[in-house]
Amino acid sequence: MGKTSAAVKNRYIEKAYDRINLTVPKGEKAKIQSHAESKGESVNRFIYRAINETIERDESNE
């Protein structure tokens, strides 16, 4: 990917998405990456899915 296309992609991401920084204890990153890969997901997709499933579960228990 060239510098121009990377800049275009980054501008799109800035407009379309919010960012959340996640800090985990040493060693947990590898565990999360391994689990995501075992499910055929990116780390981002796995975390997003986990959050949404938790929200749905919490809301159904209210």
Side-chain angles (χ1 to χ4, degrees):
M1 180 183 304
K3 287 183 181 181
T4 303
S5 60
V8 170
K9 182 178 178 182
N10 287 337
R11 280 196 304 272
Y12 171 76
I13 289 170
E14 255 184 58
K15 290 179 184 177
Y17 296 96
D18 289 325
R19 290 196 176 267
I20 298 173
N21 292 325
L22 176 66
T23 305
V24 296
K26 289 282 186 187
E28 289 297 305
K29 180 180 175 182
K31 182 178 166 182
I32 292 165
Q33 286 174 321
S34 176
H35 183 80
E37 287 174 11
S38 76
K39 299 295 182 184
E41 296 178 316
S42 66
V43 170
N44 190 74
R45 180 68 191 137
F46 165 65
I47 292 170
Y48 185 67
R49 180 174 60 84
I51 290 168
N52 282 324
E53 288 177 5
T54 301
I55 290 170
E56 287 177 20
R57 186 178 60 240
D58 290 350
E59 287 175 347
S60 70
N61 289 332
E62 290 179 355

